[in-house]
Amino acid sequence: MEQQCQDELYMKRCLQLARNAEGNTYPNPMVGAVIVHDGTIIGEGYHQKAGQPHAEVNAINAVKNSSLLENSTLYVNLEPCAHYGKTPPCSLLIRQKKIPRIVIGCKDTYSEVAGKGIDMLRAAGAEVIVGVLEKESRELNRRFFTFHEKKRPYILLKWAQTRDGFMDIDRLAEGDPKPTWITDEWARRMVHKWRSIEQSIMVGSITALKDNPSLTVRDWSGSDPLRLVIDREGKLPHTLALFNGKVPTLVFTEKKDLLFDGVETVPLTPGMSTLSSILNELYRRNIQSVMVEGGSILLNAFLEECLWDEARVFVGEKWFESGVKAPIIPQHPVSDEKFGNSRLFVFRNK
């Protein structure tokens, strides 16, 4: 029991380290590693960016006295890789350093690994423990696992609604073309943080036209996500902020002759649903996550086709009494918390 508690303690540290690189490791997962000798951490590290050394390498390099490795335990939240990619396999390095005990959070289901790293270490005579804080380890890299197991990006739906369930007023009736804010600056800043974490962000043509959003990270630090716009009929004006060429943007359309300066157009697959066509293309491009910030039509389309993994819904204090109805998720949220002048509800697709 004492050993189990120790293993969980150090695995928590691995997860903490891994989270430091959130949003920066695509297409790689977030991984942290800790090396312990006689109850003392002698090295730790995390994978910071694709193409750079993996967590295990950084942890091993952080050990000042490498002779201690032969009597140490390596903790890592994801199975060490066993293939040559942009870097050599970590399992080979661990074996070369003769680390006798390896504790792993969860198995890597990516086909190039998928147990091969564990087999390599066990074949070398190491004691390998798998499944310590497995649920937490998979949760941390849920985008990575969804991408490789479901062959599509992790889909995060996000919207704000009033207490009486409306996303927007009827702007045509009101004669007001501007967006009507439901939340405050704190919620908007949090949304920009989320944008910096997700690999892409999507809106439909109605939202693009009515709100003219930039879909960039302005109130937070980090990279702008790849912008995705659905414009089936090719009617959106080229003057929109989404088409300024400053951030990579994909326009999904049925119009073969649709051209945008500095923007890539992607034809939708005939005979396939719009969403399936888009998700297949994103999978082909190695895009592991998409945040959907569209209007009710696009959000409901994802919900109706059961193509979603998580939904984050801000409920503000305002009442509209009429307007554009917000989507309804017929299940209980997994969490809710007070956030500025609104409340944030988080749902997971069961």
Side-chain angles (χ1 to χ4, degrees), residues 274-287:
T274 298
L275 296 187
S276 294
S277 177
I278 292 172
L279 296 180
N280 284 351
E281 179 64 21
L282 295 180
Y283 179 76
R284 189 186 70 80
R285 291 172 181 257
N286 219 16
I287 302 299

Side-chain angles (χ1 to χ4, degrees), residues 186-298:
W186 298 107
R188 291 196 289 274
R189 185 168 297 176
M190 176 57 74
V191 170
H192 283 222
K193 178 184 178 181
W194 293 343
R195 290 178 181 177
S196 73
I197 293 171
E198 306 306 330
Q199 209 171 355
S200 66
I201 185 168
M202 179 189 295
V203 293
S205 57
I206 296 177
T207 297
L209 187 61
K210 289 171 63 176
D211 294 352
N212 192 21
S214 296
L215 302 184
T216 56
V217 177
R218 301 184 301 280
D219 295 333
W220 199 263
S221 61
S223 301
D224 293 315
L226 172 68
R227 301 186 296 194
L228 313 173
V229 189
I230 303 174
D231 186 16
R232 279 192 292 264
E233 299 179 1
K235 293 184 177 180
L236 291 177
H238 292 209
T239 54
L240 293 178
L242 287 167
F243 306 142
N244 58 20
K246 295 181 180 179
V247 178
T249 304
L250 301 182
V251 178
F252 292 89
T253 183
E254 294 174 353
K255 296 292 183 181
K256 296 181 179 179
D257 57 348
L258 185 63
L259 296 175
F260 287 83
D261 291 333
V263 175
E264 184 179 356
T265 56
V266 182
L268 292 167
T269 304
M272 182 181 291
S273 78
T274 298
L275 296 187
S276 294
S277 177
I278 292 172
L279 296 180
N280 284 351
E281 179 64 21
L282 295 180
Y283 179 76
R284 189 186 70 80
R285 291 172 181 257
N286 219 16
I287 302 299
Q288 292 187 3
S289 71
V290 56
M291 181 170 162
V292 182
E293 282 201 40
S296 61
I297 295 175
L298 183 59

Side-chain angles (χ1 to χ4, degrees), residues 38-257:
D38 285 346
T40 300
I41 294 177
I42 60 173
E44 60 181 27
Y46 63 95
H47 180 48
Q48 299 180 20
K49 191 175 183 180
Q52 294 185 5
H54 289 187
E56 301 93 322
V57 176
N58 288 330
I60 289 172
N61 289 339
V63 176
K64 295 181 179 179
N65 184 356
S66 60
S67 66
L68 298 179
L69 291 172
E70 296 185 17
N71 293 289
S72 299
T73 297
L74 168 68
Y75 294 87
V76 61
N77 60 285
L78 186 68
E79 175 186 0
C81 62
H83 66 291
Y84 284 88
K86 293 183 178 180
T87 59
C90 293
S91 294
L92 181 59
L93 176 64
I94 297 168
R95 188 175 68 178
Q96 290 171 344
K97 295 298 182 180
K98 299 180 180 179
I99 300 176
R101 185 171 185 264
I102 299 92
V103 179
I104 299 170
C106 64
K107 185 177 178 180
D108 187 344
T109 55
Y110 173 43
S111 59
E112 293 291 337
V113 186
K116 297 181 181 71
I118 294 170
D119 292 343
M120 181 184 293
L121 294 171
R122 284 177 174 162
E127 178 189 2
V128 182
I129 310 298
V130 184
V132 175
L133 298 188
E134 181 176 14
K135 181 179 178 182
E136 293 84 347
S137 295
R138 283 186 59 88
E139 169 69 14
L140 176 71
N141 281 307
R142 59 191 183 276
R143 297 163 182 82
F144 176 82
F145 285 116
T146 296
F147 180 81
H148 289 292
E149 294 171 6
K150 296 186 177 181
K151 309 302 180 187
R152 64 162 175 77
Y154 185 87
I155 300 169
L156 167 62
L157 309 180
K158 170 263 160 184
W159 72 85
Q161 66 182 61
T162 60
R163 291 191 68 181
D164 53 348
F166 292 95
M167 293 179 65
D168 200 355
I169 60 173
D170 184 347
R171 290 192 227 171
L172 292 178
E174 297 291 336
D176 186 358
K178 296 179 296 183
T180 304
W181 290 107
I182 296 173
T183 57
D184 61 12
E185 62 180 296
W186 298 107
R188 291 196 289 274
R189 185 168 297 176
M190 176 57 74
V191 170
H192 283 222
K193 178 184 178 181
W194 293 343
R195 290 178 181 177
S196 73
I197 293 171
E198 306 306 330
Q199 209 171 355
S200 66
I201 185 168
M202 179 189 295
V203 293
S205 57
I206 296 177
T207 297
L209 187 61
K210 289 171 63 176
D211 294 352
N212 192 21
S214 296
L215 302 184
T216 56
V217 177
R218 301 184 301 280
D219 295 333
W220 199 263
S221 61
S223 301
D224 293 315
L226 172 68
R227 301 186 296 194
L228 313 173
V229 189
I230 303 174
D231 186 16
R232 279 192 292 264
E233 299 179 1
K235 293 184 177 180
L236 291 177
H238 292 209
T239 54
L240 293 178
L242 287 167
F243 306 142
N244 58 20
K246 295 181 180 179
V247 178
T249 304
L250 301 182
V251 178
F252 292 89
T253 183
E254 294 174 353
K255 296 292 183 181
K256 296 181 179 179
D257 57 348

